[in-house]
């Protein structure tokens, strides 16, 4: 079975922080073809797609996913076969020596290999020996400055419902958002949604911070951060998309997480094949955090990711990342249900108050007065 087209196409493109052009251009082209979708770029070249067709719900949602993945960016050729390159993103130093890399330069891949790390910053994650920032690589041909480099891993593939790619995080998330827009547009669904495709998340959600600062998403809109997030012992690949109650940095806006859960529960009722998980995914920090920091209501939805940031911890080697196609497809189903839900997120207190008051009314609470 082939991969869904947006996934196949997007996962084969080169990308790294600040050099996301190939992914961004693909998304923009695909969105331009869709009825009732408008696109614009903010000042920082984050891409905002807006679908609107006779909406019934009061508040539109905004989904956010990042277009970069941990990788190299070529700086300069030191001699005919050696390039100095920056590394952007969180991969442990021990994975670098001798690892195979490919740069996308002037419309073709140029293969290479890491010779040595030339700059390693102090780690800010416990248990890490450092954070690689620059390397020297042997390459087969001239690489132009600013060319994105990725680990030299196979093209995206599907086997036993598992999608493998050079980088799922978070191009698979952007593919899910594009698929949502395509579905809504094809069905002429009566709803409204914003999809923000951000840059440079792997450097500390720089694109999302920029977007929050310039209000690329209107502030009254609830934000749902879409991710592929490191698989955890209690949040496995294949067990369904995950509604996140938080990440490593923050607990998400409770009423928005509750909204996602209510809609997911209703989807379970309607469709026997739907399943989901609700977890604290604290293997990483996601873009909900900067939006919360800037006063937005924000939560997150993700699929569990294997070989997070290309680190196969078992073999201690660089490897393809992977996600479950079933999780990914159900995540898109959940997006659609969230967007088409006519009630929308309820303010936290009244909904919770109604629930506890119902419990109180059912119980023989008066006995407490006599005790
Ligand atoms: Zn990510």
């Amino acid at each position: 079975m082939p991969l869904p087209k947006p996934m196949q196409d997007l996962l084969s493109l080169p990308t790294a922080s600040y050099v996301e052009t190939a992914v961004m251009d693909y998304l923009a082209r695909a969105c331009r073809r869709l009825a009732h979708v408008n696109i614009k770029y903010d000042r920082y070249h984050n891409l905002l797609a807006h679908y609107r067709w006779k909406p019934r719900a009061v508040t539109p949602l905004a989904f956010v996913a990042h277009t970069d993945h941990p990788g190299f960016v070529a700086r300069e050729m030191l001699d005919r076969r050696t390039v100095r390159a920056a590394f952007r993103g969180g991969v442990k130093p021990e994975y670098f020596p001798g690892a195979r890399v490919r740069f996308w330069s002037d419309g073709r891949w140029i293969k290479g290999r890491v010779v040595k790390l030339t700059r390693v910053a102090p780690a800010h994650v416990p248990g890490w020996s450092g954070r690689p920032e620059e390397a020297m690589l042997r390459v087969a041909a001239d690489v132009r400055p600013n060319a994105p480099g990725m680990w030299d891993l196979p093209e995206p593939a599907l086997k036993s419902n598992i999608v493998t790619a050079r980088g799922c995080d978070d191009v698979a998330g952007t593919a899910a958002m594009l698929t949502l827009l395509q579905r809504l547009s094809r069905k002429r669904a009566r709803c409204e949604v914003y999809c923000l495709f951000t840059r440079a998340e792997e450097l500390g959600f720089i694109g999302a911070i920029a977007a929050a600062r310039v209000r690329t998403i209107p502030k009254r809109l609830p934000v749902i951060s879409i991710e592929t997030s490191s698989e955890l012992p209690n949040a496995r690949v294949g067990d369904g998309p995950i509604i996140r109650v938080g990440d490593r940095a923050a607990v998400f806006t409770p009423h928005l997480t509750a909204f996602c859960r209510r809609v997911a529960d209703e989807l379970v009722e309607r469709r026997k094949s739907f399943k989901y998980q609700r977890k604290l995914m604290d293997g990483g920090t996601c873009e909900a955090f900067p939006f919360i920091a800037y006063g937005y209501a924000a939560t997150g939805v993700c699929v569990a990711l294997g070989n997070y940031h290309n680190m196969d911890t078992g073999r201690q080697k660089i490897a393809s990342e992977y996600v479950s196609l079933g999780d990914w497809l159900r995540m898109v189903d959940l997006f659609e249900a969230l967007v088409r839900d006519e009630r929308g997120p309820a303010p936290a207190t009244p909904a919770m108050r109604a629930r506890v008051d119902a419990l109180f009314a059912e119980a023989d609470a008066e006995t407490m007065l006599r005790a």
Side-chain angles (χ1 to χ4, degrees):
M1 193 171 90
L3 276 173
K5 186 165 165 50
M7 233 187 179
Q8 178 71 46
D9 290 351
L10 282 160
L11 290 174
S12 58
L13 296 174
T15 192
S17 304
Y18 293 143
V19 284
E20 304 91 347
T21 329
V23 172
M24 281 291 189
D25 288 353
Y26 180 93
L27 290 165
R29 268 198 312 276
C31 287
R32 279 195 195 99
R33 283 198 289 267
L34 301 177
H36 315 300
V37 174
N38 284 307
I39 62 164
K40 68 165 195 183
Y41 293 91
D42 68 12
R43 241 192 298 160
Y44 297 93
H45 299 275
N46 295 300
L47 173 67
L48 183 71
H50 178 206
Y51 172 87
R52 185 187 159 91
W53 177 249
K54 297 182 178 171
R56 289 194 180 101
V58 192
T59 322
L61 300 174
F63 291 95
V64 182
H66 64 94
T67 55
D68 60 324
H69 181 75
F72 296 85
V73 181
R75 286 299 194 208
E76 57 169 346
M77 296 299 292
L78 298 173
D79 60 44
R80 276 184 54 249
R81 290 287 176 266
T82 312
V83 66
R84 184 171 67 85
F87 189 79
R88 297 174 181 166
V91 177
K92 290 181 177 179
E94 45 272 38
Y95 286 82
F96 283 72
R100 290 169 190 276
V101 174
R102 51 162 88 182
F103 284 92
W104 181 257
S105 181
D106 295 318
R108 63 181 180 137
W109 289 109
I110 294 169
K111 301 219 174 178
R113 207 182 252 275
V114 177
V115 178
K116 66 171 177 183
L117 282 172
T118 47
R119 199 167 72 227
V120 180
H124 40 74
V125 181
W128 284 48
S129 60
R131 197 178 170 88
E133 285 187 342
E134 196 186 79
M136 239 167 59
L137 301 100
R138 287 288 288 171
V139 281
D142 223 60
V143 175
R144 68 164 168 77
N146 252 353
M150 304 187 80
W151 302 112
D152 184 23
L153 295 161
E155 294 303 314
L158 178 64
K159 206 173 153 188
S160 316
N161 204 36
I162 293 292
V163 180
T164 53
R166 285 187 284 273
C168 294
D169 176 12
D170 189 26
V171 176
T174 68
M177 279 166 33
L178 174 60
T179 304
L180 169 74
L181 292 169
Q182 289 171 334
R183 266 197 209 177
L184 298 175
S185 178
R186 195 181 60 235
K187 295 180 181 175
R188 287 175 154 249
R190 289 194 56 181
C191 59
E192 179 176 15
V193 65
Y194 289 83
C195 289
L196 178 65
F197 302 96
T198 62
R199 306 179 61 197
E201 190 274 348
E202 301 295 350
L203 289 174
F205 16 81
I206 307 304
I209 298 170
R213 290 168 67 98
V214 300
R215 301 262 180 263
T216 306
I217 296 171
K219 192 175 172 187
R220 65 194 160 81
L221 300 193
V223 172
I224 304 181
S225 160
I226 307 310
E227 268 289 4
T228 56
S229 185
S230 187
E231 182 179 41
L232 297 173
N234 70 338
R236 289 294 185 195
V237 172
D239 288 349
I242 300 158
I243 294 171
R244 301 177 80 158
V245 298
D247 63 12
R248 189 190 281 148
V251 167
F252 298 156
T253 309
H255 79 270
L256 209 51
T257 311
F259 162 65
C260 294
R261 185 187 189 170
R262 196 244 312 147
V263 172
D265 282 339
E266 288 170 5
L267 200 50
V268 170
E269 294 271 299
R270 283 206 302 280
R271 214 177 292 169
K272 286 287 158 277
S273 61
F274 185 78
K275 58 180 177 180
Y276 78 98
Q277 316 178 59
R278 178 178 168 279
K279 304 283 178 192
L280 173 71
M281 298 299 280
D282 55 358
T285 310
C286 81
E287 291 173 311
F289 176 57
F291 281 101
I292 287 173
Y294 271 86
Y296 286 81
T299 190
V301 172
C302 68
V303 292
L305 171 71
N307 291 342
Y308 168 70
H309 285 187
N310 303 102
M311 293 180 286
D312 179 342
T313 50
R315 292 188 312 134
Q316 289 278 314
K317 272 196 157 71
I318 290 294
S320 295
E321 286 188 334
Y322 62 88
V323 297
S324 146
L325 181 61
D327 290 352
W328 186 90
L329 288 168
R330 289 180 181 101
M331 181 167 78
V332 180
D333 291 344
L334 178 58
F335 292 173
E336 189 182 348
L338 288 166
V339 168
R340 300 181 78 156
D341 184 82
E342 286 174 28
R343 275 195 282 155
T349 319
M352 288 185 199
R353 179 75 155 262
R355 257 179 82 185
V356 294
D357 281 349
L359 285 172
F360 194 77
E362 274 172 37
D364 191 9
E366 297 303 310
T367 56
M368 287 190 290
L369 294 173
R370 294 191 293 274

